Amino acid sequence: MTADVLVPTSADEAASLYGDGAGITVVGGGTILLPEIAVGRAKPERALMLHRAGLGTIEVAGDRVVIGAMAPISAVADVPDGALGQVARHLADGEIRRTATVGGNIAAAAAADAQRGDLGAPLIALGARVRSTGAGGERIEPIEEFLAGDRGRLVLDVQYDRFERRSGTAALRRRHAHSFSVAAVVACARPDGSDLRIGVSGVGPTAVRCRAVEQSRDAADVLSDVEPIDDAVASAAYRRAVLPKLVRDALDQLEPA
Amino acid sequence: MKLIVNGMELDVVSPPLTPLLHVLRDELDITSPKAGCQQGGCGTCTVLVDGEPRRSCLTAVATVDGAAITTVEGLGERDALSPVQAAFHRHYAAQCGFCTPGMVIAATALIERAGGPVERDDVLEALGGHYCRCTGYVKIIDAVMAASRGEVEEIEDVPVSVAGEPEVQPKGSPA
């Protein structure tokens, strides 16, 4: 069992205990870590538990939304700006959404057998930024860059700017089986079509921003943005077949009704 | 750490990262929450944490320090079943019974929240994370909808133990 458990009571204390993260296992909601411990794949020696660190608030202030890393997924279901709440409401099931956290969804390492992190797609489409701490101190970066890194940092919050947007979401998943998505696409743009951003999750180890499609607006180009993989949920070939259709569907929803 | 389990305040000494499931079963000897998959996938470990259903296998005990926990032991008595328990009995909603504790807890929370009759889709949503390998779900869904409508009939044939006879210990049961 765990040799050492740290329970910081403020964000600053959490950051200082985390340090550069060496040897630390971060415990958010625990929905990813506890099953790993149960089967012996994870044996934390020094666990940083964040439930008292005060990182669980969601602020909607004027033109900005700031979501604390420890906000439960169930709370994100109610945030403004449709796409994020819509995806959050479809993650796992209600019992898991009350326990799982936004920070864990963003920061947890890739799973061996399924692709996690469905909040990545809407957050990429909303142009969200991740504030994290770790080696080199605190920094804020676009979520697609955070996801592309090694994620060996402590997520503090995720934030995005609010402005009038249209959004489109399209996903393939087994609704009542609460398994991970086969593929999920979120697109957001201003009403005039500018500032188009597209995020795809479920097809590989992290959510990915689809810059090629953003440029060309051709759904088929998604296969130059992402490289779908095989896992227990779906084959790469199947994902390659359905993904352009999902992107097309999401883009179509951006058109005025 | 402390937990208020079915109304009783109890001290807990398990390490902070211990799943609530194992604190209940192994430290407190409350065995209605079942250790099924222990991966958050099956739902039979579900308990109420401050009234909300959560998977006890996914919940580190330190994160619910001081919370009120409700398990099936806190719902009804052998001769005074809760409305959901009575409806499960009436509608034959249990076969092997392994998923039943989680189903009953999740259904109880759903009906509590709705405060009145629930629709089939509400039940599917609320029980979406609960796997049953026997019933095909039809009878479970019927039972939950009946309980939400207050259709609880007197149950007269619940087996009761007779003095002098040993209670039946199911062979090979993971309980």
PDB file of all heavy atoms in Angstrom, chain A residues 111-131:
ATOM      1  N   ALA A 111      -4.276   5.185 -21.571  1.00  0.00           N
ATOM      2  CA  ALA A 111      -4.547   3.837 -21.089  1.00  0.00           C
ATOM      3  C   ALA A 111      -3.992   2.826 -22.068  1.00  0.00           C
ATOM      4  O   ALA A 111      -3.778   3.125 -23.237  1.00  0.00           O
ATOM      5  CB  ALA A 111      -6.045   3.636 -20.925  1.00  0.00           C
ATOM      6  N   ALA A 112      -3.770   1.609 -21.560  1.00  0.00           N
ATOM      7  CA  ALA A 112      -3.218   0.570 -22.425  1.00  0.00           C
ATOM      8  C   ALA A 112      -4.268   0.077 -23.417  1.00  0.00           C
ATOM      9  O   ALA A 112      -3.950  -0.301 -24.539  1.00  0.00           O
ATOM     10  CB  ALA A 112      -2.735  -0.598 -21.562  1.00  0.00           C
ATOM     11  N   ASP A 113      -5.536   0.085 -23.014  1.00  0.00           N
ATOM     12  CA  ASP A 113      -6.549  -0.612 -23.800  1.00  0.00           C
ATOM     13  C   ASP A 113      -7.668   0.257 -24.323  1.00  0.00           C
ATOM     14  O   ASP A 113      -8.575  -0.225 -24.977  1.00  0.00           O
ATOM     15  CB  ASP A 113      -7.146  -1.742 -22.957  1.00  0.00           C
ATOM     16  CG  ASP A 113      -7.621  -1.236 -21.607  1.00  0.00           C
ATOM     17  OD1 ASP A 113      -7.441  -0.043 -21.328  1.00  0.00           O
ATOM     18  OD2 ASP A 113      -8.181  -2.031 -20.837  1.00  0.00           O
ATOM     19  N   ALA A 114      -7.671   1.547 -24.018  1.00  0.00           N
ATOM     20  CA  ALA A 114      -8.736   2.411 -24.515  1.00  0.00           C
ATOM     21  C   ALA A 114      -8.245   3.855 -24.484  1.00  0.00           C
ATOM     22  O   ALA A 114      -7.292   4.165 -23.777  1.00  0.00           O
ATOM     23  CB  ALA A 114      -9.985   2.264 -23.671  1.00  0.00           C
ATOM     24  N   GLN A 115      -8.921   4.700 -25.265  1.00  0.00           N
ATOM     25  CA  GLN A 115      -8.485   6.089 -25.378  1.00  0.00           C
ATOM     26  C   GLN A 115      -9.332   6.969 -24.474  1.00  0.00           C
ATOM     27  O   GLN A 115     -10.529   7.039 -24.612  1.00  0.00           O
ATOM     28  CB  GLN A 115      -8.584   6.538 -26.837  1.00  0.00           C
ATOM     29  CG  GLN A 115      -7.954   5.554 -27.810  1.00  0.00           C
ATOM     30  CD  GLN A 115      -6.579   5.072 -27.341  1.00  0.00           C
ATOM     31  OE1 GLN A 115      -5.750   5.881 -26.915  1.00  0.00           O
ATOM     32  NE2 GLN A 115      -6.341   3.779 -27.385  1.00  0.00           N
ATOM     33  N   ARG A 116      -8.675   7.656 -23.518  1.00  0.00           N
ATOM     34  CA  ARG A 116      -9.399   8.458 -22.543  1.00  0.00           C
ATOM     35  C   ARG A 116      -9.415   9.922 -22.958  1.00  0.00           C
ATOM     36  O   ARG A 116      -8.781  10.315 -23.917  1.00  0.00           O
ATOM     37  CB  ARG A 116      -8.707   8.378 -21.182  1.00  0.00           C
ATOM     38  CG  ARG A 116      -8.669   7.019 -20.576  1.00  0.00           C
ATOM     39  CD  ARG A 116      -7.923   7.125 -19.251  1.00  0.00           C
ATOM     40  NE  ARG A 116      -7.881   5.839 -18.599  1.00  0.00           N
ATOM     41  CZ  ARG A 116      -6.776   5.318 -18.086  1.00  0.00           C
ATOM     42  NH1 ARG A 116      -5.636   5.980 -18.169  1.00  0.00           N
ATOM     43  NH2 ARG A 116      -6.810   4.149 -17.497  1.00  0.00           N
ATOM     44  N   GLY A 117     -10.103  10.706 -22.148  1.00  0.00           N
ATOM     45  CA  GLY A 117      -9.953  12.150 -22.269  1.00  0.00           C
ATOM     46  C   GLY A 117     -10.885  12.792 -23.266  1.00  0.00           C
ATOM     47  O   GLY A 117     -10.465  13.632 -24.070  1.00  0.00           O
ATOM     48  N   ASP A 118     -12.174  12.450 -23.210  1.00  0.00           N
ATOM     49  CA  ASP A 118     -13.115  13.026 -24.165  1.00  0.00           C
ATOM     50  C   ASP A 118     -13.342  14.519 -23.980  1.00  0.00           C
ATOM     51  O   ASP A 118     -13.838  15.169 -24.891  1.00  0.00           O
ATOM     52  CB  ASP A 118     -14.467  12.295 -24.094  1.00  0.00           C
ATOM     53  CG  ASP A 118     -14.575  11.214 -25.174  1.00  0.00           C
ATOM     54  OD1 ASP A 118     -13.645  11.129 -26.000  1.00  0.00           O
ATOM     55  OD2 ASP A 118     -15.583  10.490 -25.175  1.00  0.00           O
ATOM     56  N   LEU A 119     -12.985  15.081 -22.816  1.00  0.00           N
ATOM     57  CA  LEU A 119     -13.138  16.529 -22.674  1.00  0.00           C
ATOM     58  C   LEU A 119     -12.130  17.270 -23.539  1.00  0.00           C
ATOM     59  O   LEU A 119     -12.283  18.462 -23.817  1.00  0.00           O
ATOM     60  CB  LEU A 119     -12.962  16.962 -21.205  1.00  0.00           C
ATOM     61  CG  LEU A 119     -14.048  16.527 -20.219  1.00  0.00           C
ATOM     62  CD1 LEU A 119     -13.798  17.173 -18.864  1.00  0.00           C
ATOM     63  CD2 LEU A 119     -15.440  16.891 -20.721  1.00  0.00           C
ATOM     64  N   GLY A 120     -11.089  16.576 -23.976  1.00  0.00           N
ATOM     65  CA  GLY A 120     -10.069  17.212 -24.804  1.00  0.00           C
ATOM     66  C   GLY A 120     -10.657  17.814 -26.072  1.00  0.00           C
ATOM     67  O   GLY A 120     -10.275  18.931 -26.464  1.00  0.00           O
ATOM     68  N   ALA A 121     -11.586  17.114 -26.723  1.00  0.00           N
ATOM     69  CA  ALA A 121     -12.124  17.597 -27.997  1.00  0.00           C
ATOM     70  C   ALA A 121     -12.876  18.919 -27.839  1.00  0.00           C
ATOM     71  O   ALA A 121     -12.566  19.893 -28.529  1.00  0.00           O
ATOM     72  CB  ALA A 121     -12.996  16.523 -28.648  1.00  0.00           C
ATOM     73  N   PRO A 122     -13.862  19.014 -26.914  1.00  0.00           N
ATOM     74  CA  PRO A 122     -14.535  20.305 -26.759  1.00  0.00           C
ATOM     75  C   PRO A 122     -13.596  21.401 -26.266  1.00  0.00           C
ATOM     76  O   PRO A 122     -13.737  22.566 -26.662  1.00  0.00           O
ATOM     77  CB  PRO A 122     -15.647  20.029 -25.738  1.00  0.00           C
ATOM     78  CG  PRO A 122     -15.268  18.764 -25.062  1.00  0.00           C
ATOM     79  CD  PRO A 122     -14.503  17.977 -26.070  1.00  0.00           C
ATOM     80  N   LEU A 123     -12.637  21.055 -25.402  1.00  0.00           N
ATOM     81  CA  LEU A 123     -11.733  22.086 -24.889  1.00  0.00           C
ATOM     82  C   LEU A 123     -10.825  22.615 -25.998  1.00  0.00           C
ATOM     83  O   LEU A 123     -10.525  23.809 -26.058  1.00  0.00           O
ATOM     84  CB  LEU A 123     -10.919  21.545 -23.706  1.00  0.00           C
ATOM     85  CG  LEU A 123     -11.748  21.339 -22.416  1.00  0.00           C
ATOM     86  CD1 LEU A 123     -10.946  20.570 -21.363  1.00  0.00           C
ATOM     87  CD2 LEU A 123     -12.221  22.683 -21.849  1.00  0.00           C
ATOM     88  N   ILE A 124     -10.390  21.737 -26.899  1.00  0.00           N
ATOM     89  CA  ILE A 124      -9.604  22.198 -28.050  1.00  0.00           C
ATOM     90  C   ILE A 124     -10.476  23.113 -28.918  1.00  0.00           C
ATOM     91  O   ILE A 124     -10.046  24.196 -29.333  1.00  0.00           O
ATOM     92  CB  ILE A 124      -9.100  20.992 -28.878  1.00  0.00           C
ATOM     93  CG1 ILE A 124      -7.961  20.286 -28.135  1.00  0.00           C
ATOM     94  CG2 ILE A 124      -8.631  21.445 -30.271  1.00  0.00           C
ATOM     95  CD1 ILE A 124      -7.552  18.947 -28.744  1.00  0.00           C
ATOM     96  N   ALA A 125     -11.716  22.696 -29.165  1.00  0.00           N
ATOM     97  CA  ALA A 125     -12.598  23.486 -30.025  1.00  0.00           C
ATOM     98  C   ALA A 125     -12.929  24.846 -29.407  1.00  0.00           C
ATOM     99  O   ALA A 125     -13.182  25.816 -30.118  1.00  0.00           O
ATOM    100  CB  ALA A 125     -13.879  22.697 -30.308  1.00  0.00           C
ATOM    101  N   LEU A 126     -12.914  24.918 -28.065  1.00  0.00           N
ATOM    102  CA  LEU A 126     -13.181  26.191 -27.380  1.00  0.00           C
ATOM    103  C   LEU A 126     -11.916  27.031 -27.239  1.00  0.00           C
ATOM    104  O   LEU A 126     -11.950  28.116 -26.667  1.00  0.00           O
ATOM    105  CB  LEU A 126     -13.778  25.929 -25.990  1.00  0.00           C
ATOM    106  CG  LEU A 126     -15.214  25.400 -25.954  1.00  0.00           C
ATOM    107  CD1 LEU A 126     -15.561  24.854 -24.573  1.00  0.00           C
ATOM    108  CD2 LEU A 126     -16.201  26.499 -26.354  1.00  0.00           C
ATOM    109  N   GLY A 127     -10.792  26.534 -27.720  1.00  0.00           N
ATOM    110  CA  GLY A 127      -9.533  27.279 -27.605  1.00  0.00           C
ATOM    111  C   GLY A 127      -9.050  27.366 -26.169  1.00  0.00           C
ATOM    112  O   GLY A 127      -8.467  28.376 -25.762  1.00  0.00           O
ATOM    113  N   ALA A 128      -9.278  26.321 -25.382  1.00  0.00           N
ATOM    114  CA  ALA A 128      -8.950  26.363 -23.955  1.00  0.00           C
ATOM    115  C   ALA A 128      -7.442  26.333 -23.722  1.00  0.00           C
ATOM    116  O   ALA A 128      -6.671  25.843 -24.549  1.00  0.00           O
ATOM    117  CB  ALA A 128      -9.618  25.190 -23.234  1.00  0.00           C
ATOM    118  N   ARG A 129      -7.059  26.868 -22.559  1.00  0.00           N
ATOM    119  CA  ARG A 129      -5.663  26.862 -22.122  1.00  0.00           C
ATOM    120  C   ARG A 129      -5.573  26.123 -20.787  1.00  0.00           C
ATOM    121  O   ARG A 129      -6.475  26.238 -19.955  1.00  0.00           O
ATOM    122  CB  ARG A 129      -5.156  28.304 -21.949  1.00  0.00           C
ATOM    123  CG  ARG A 129      -5.251  29.143 -23.218  1.00  0.00           C
ATOM    124  CD  ARG A 129      -4.995  30.621 -22.962  1.00  0.00           C
ATOM    125  NE  ARG A 129      -5.972  31.221 -22.070  1.00  0.00           N
ATOM    126  CZ  ARG A 129      -7.176  31.668 -22.454  1.00  0.00           C
ATOM    127  NH1 ARG A 129      -7.560  31.561 -23.714  1.00  0.00           N
ATOM    128  NH2 ARG A 129      -8.008  32.206 -21.573  1.00  0.00           N
ATOM    129  N   VAL A 130      -4.487  25.414 -20.602  1.00  0.00           N
ATOM    130  CA  VAL A 130      -4.276  24.663 -19.360  1.00  0.00           C
ATOM    131  C   VAL A 130      -3.247  25.394 -18.513  1.00  0.00           C
ATOM    132  O   VAL A 130      -2.173  25.744 -19.003  1.00  0.00           O
ATOM    133  CB  VAL A 130      -3.776  23.231 -19.656  1.00  0.00           C
ATOM    134  CG1 VAL A 130      -3.417  22.503 -18.357  1.00  0.00           C
ATOM    135  CG2 VAL A 130      -4.833  22.445 -20.427  1.00  0.00           C
ATOM    136  N   ARG A 131      -3.593  25.654 -17.238  1.00  0.00           N
ATOM    137  CA  ARG A 131      -2.618  26.218 -16.308  1.00  0.00           C
ATOM    138  C   ARG A 131      -2.109  25.063 -15.459  1.00  0.00           C
ATOM    139  O   ARG A 131      -2.892  24.337 -14.850  1.00  0.00           O
ATOM    140  CB  ARG A 131      -3.278  27.278 -15.419  1.00  0.00           C
ATOM    141  CG  ARG A 131      -2.304  28.066 -14.548  1.00  0.00           C
ATOM    142  CD  ARG A 131      -2.971  29.298 -13.964  1.00  0.00           C
ATOM    143  NE  ARG A 131      -3.969  28.961 -12.963  1.00  0.00           N
ATOM    144  CZ  ARG A 131      -3.719  28.883 -11.637  1.00  0.00           C
ATOM    145  NH1 ARG A 131      -2.510  29.122 -11.174  1.00  0.00           N
ATOM    146  NH2 ARG A 131      -4.684  28.558 -10.796  1.00  0.00           N
TER     147      ARG A 131
END
